[in-house]
Amino acid sequence: HGVPVSGAEIMAHYDKEGRLASIDANYISGLEDIDVNPRFEAKDALAVVKADVLSRSVIEESLLQPDEGKLVVYARPGIPGRLAYEYRVRALEAEHPAIWVVTIDAQTGDVLHRLNNLQTVQASGKGVLGDTKTFEVSNGGPGFVMSDTSTGVQIQTFTAQQRQVAPGNLVASASATTWDTGAAGAGAAVDAHFNAAQVAKYYKTVHNRNAIDGAGGALESTVHFGKAFDNAAWIQTGMIYGDGGTLFRALSVGVDVVGHEFTHGVIEKTSNLIYENQSGALNEAVAD
């Protein structure tokens, strides 16, 4: 009756000539007689959803970010279909960030289903100094990749593999507890990924700034830049870190170094102090 069925789908596949080749279906029967007229309004359903989210999240209600919601038929194989309201509520500033998808029975107001759709995994690894750090990664192929969306800002860590390229390749691992174990600068990716998240959190909690651009833009770090590169830099699109040579060890080990390069990005996105003469000196001083 014009209401989408959540959890069911039919997909038709066509060849390059436009002919129907196959159909895949997750079909749920027995929905013909469902009453598609809810017994209460969407705003009342949203109130129930917010209350449910608040009962599971340490966060103020004003910081919740719900979508517009939609009316669906909630159905699963072997479970009778029911008319429901479905809301997606972002609670990214909670003590434990989450994106809750909550489904409310549109006839009774009962919670039918809830899902935290924040798609990250907690991982751990050894940094440059051999210390173990925990951080968020994502599923990627047969293993994991250094991509953290747990705070609503995409934090990604790449490797240049001793080349002078950026961003390079996203750091990956077959194990959530073994990362960046190469001979040169081992653990640099762990430090860069962990420290970038720490600096982003500092900017958010202390200065109420959402990432480098202030609008939640992606945050990219590249480690193992060049061969024996004794420096780190902001390059307009992200941060690069060398493995060190005669003067330093891998530079991403220092959270102050990461904070410095991050702040060069903030300066560029705000005052854009030209990097020479007095404005260049101010640029460096603010980053310090």
Side-chain angles (χ1 to χ4, degrees), residues 123-126 135-140 143-149 154-159 169-173 176 178-180 187-194 219-221 223:
S124 64
K126 292 186 182 299
F135 44 89
E136 298 293 325
V137 298
S138 299
N139 291 313
F144 308 92
V145 292
M146 279 190 169
S147 180
D148 174 7
T149 59
Q154 188 173 57
I155 300 173
Q156 294 183 309
T157 302
F158 298 81
T159 175
N169 300 319
L170 197 58
V171 176
S173 175
T178 304
W179 294 89
D180 194 28
V190 169
D191 287 329
H193 198 63
F194 177 85
L219 210 171
E220 295 183 353
S221 304
V223 296

Side-chain angles (χ1 to χ4, degrees), residues 92-108:
L92 297 177
E93 295 187 55
E95 182 177 354
H96 300 288
I99 302 175
W100 290 105
V101 181
V102 185
T103 307
I104 302 292
D105 191 310
Q107 308 294 348
T108 66

Side-chain angles (χ1 to χ4, degrees), residues 52 56 100-103 111-116:
D52 185 74
R56 300 166 197 287
W100 290 105
V101 181
V102 185
T103 307
V111 176
L112 298 176
H113 186 256
R114 71 177 63 83
L115 165 71
N116 182 359

